Amino acid sequence: MKLLRYGAVGAEQPGLLDDKGRIHALSSVIDDFTADSLSPTKLREIGKLSPDTLPIVPGTPRLGTPYRGVGKFVAVGLNFSDHAAESGLAVPAEPVLFSKATSCIVGPNDDIMLPKDSEKTDWEVELGVVIGRTARYVAEQEALEYVAGYCVVNDVSERAYQLERGGQWDKGKGYDTFAPLGPWLVTPNEIPDPQNLELWLEVDGHLFQNGSTRTMIFGVAHLIWYVSQFL
C-alpha cells in the first residue's frame, strides 16, 4: 500500500494511492495516520480494503506528510560507502547518530525556507524508515517486523552551521522546513528488501545524486537494532 495525507496545511485527510496513481479518501475508515494507526494490526485492516470501494479524490491536492505525530527523528550520518569516500572520511566503526527537530518536517512539495545568513544550504536524498510500534532492545533478526513503512526524506542541511561553527550537527539540521517527507508511506509488503532500493535526487532537472541502499554501510535491520539500544 501507498498511504498519504492530502489537503491544506493543518487540515490534511488520510488517503490511499492506487496502482493507477489515483488518490482514494480514507476518512470514512480512519481519522488520520498517527503513531497509533500505524500499528501492524491497523495496517492489516486497511490492507484488506479494496480501493474501488473508496471515493476518488478529485484534482491534484497538496500532499502533506504521510503521517503526523513523529516522536523521534533519528538520522544516521555517513552511512553510504560512496558518500564517505566522496567526503574523504573514514568509514565509521559504529553508526553516527544525530537528531533532526520534528518541527522541521513538511510535506514533500512544500517550500523550503533558508535560514538567515544561510551560506551553504544543501540537499540530500535519504530512505526514511518509519517505526510502527515501540522498539526497545530489539533483536536484529526481528528488526524489520517493527517497520510500518518506508518513505523518501530530503535531509536538508545548512553545512556552514553544521560543520564550521563547532558543537554538534543539530543546528545545521533542524531548521524549520528542513525535512520534506513523503510523498507517501509504502508498507513493507511492497518492499521485501530495503537494501535493494534506488535513490536519486534532481535539482531543476539536473541529476545530483544517483545511488542505492545496497551501498549502505549499516543496513536497515542493523540500524533499528542499534538505535533501539539507546532510544
Side-chain angles (χ1 to χ4, degrees):
M1 293 186 295
K2 294 181 175 67
L3 306 176
L4 53 84
R5 296 168 69 246
Y6 63 93
V9 176
E12 294 91 346
Q13 299 291 314
L16 180 151
L17 193 77
D18 67 18
D19 56 8
K20 297 179 182 178
R22 300 175 301 185
I23 297 174
H24 295 260
L26 277 174
S27 53
S28 63
V29 178
I30 191 169
D31 291 334
D32 204 350
F33 291 126
T34 64
D36 293 335
S37 56
L38 292 179
S39 68
T41 300
K42 193 63 181 180
L43 288 178
R44 280 194 295 270
E45 292 178 8
I46 297 173
K48 295 177 182 178
L49 299 172
S50 171
D52 294 336
T53 65
L54 302 168
I56 294 176
V57 177
T60 54
R62 168 192 172 269
L63 295 180
T65 60
Y67 49 89
R68 66 173 177 83
V70 177
K72 302 181 182 73
F73 196 147
V74 184
V76 185
L78 290 176
N79 194 41
F80 288 84
S81 56
D82 46 356
H83 178 52
E86 179 185 44
S87 303
L89 298 171
V91 171
E94 294 191 31
V96 177
L97 304 183
F98 64 92
S99 297
K100 288 177 76 79
T102 56
S103 57
C104 71
I105 298 172
V106 291
N109 303 313
D110 290 347
D111 289 340
I112 293 172
M113 295 188 295
L114 296 181
K116 182 181 179 181
D117 301 324
S118 171
E119 300 174 18
K120 298 178 180 179
T121 298
D122 200 4
W123 31 255
E124 201 165 15
V125 64
E126 300 286 359
L127 172 66
V129 181
V130 182
I131 304 301
R133 57 192 175 102
T134 300
R136 184 181 297 116
Y137 300 119
V138 304
E140 184 167 346
Q141 63 269 25
E142 299 173 356
L144 295 184
E145 298 175 14
Y146 290 79
V147 176
Y150 303 90
C151 65
V152 178
V153 179
N154 186 353
D155 176 22
V156 183
S157 310
E158 170 39 68
R159 300 296 189 190
Y161 295 0
Q162 174 194 355
L163 301 173
E164 299 173 13
R165 296 182 58 174
Q168 299 189 11
W169 288 4
D170 295 38
K171 62 180 173 286
K173 291 285 190 176
Y175 193 75
D176 289 350
T177 76
F178 267 25
L181 191 155
W184 35 73
L185 180 75
V186 184
T187 51
N189 61 300
E190 293 199 25
I191 301 180
D193 182 7
Q195 303 309 142
N196 189 30
L197 297 171
E198 305 301 318
L199 293 172
W200 69 92
L201 182 142
E202 294 181 353
V203 178
D204 296 333
H206 180 80
L207 183 67
F208 280 94
Q209 290 181 275
N210 189 16
S212 169
T213 57
R214 290 186 294 273
T215 69
M216 288 174 70
I217 297 166
F218 303 103
V220 172
H222 182 84
L223 290 172
I224 294 171
W225 163 79
Y226 184 83
V227 173
S228 79
Q229 309 304 305
F230 308 104
L231 303 174

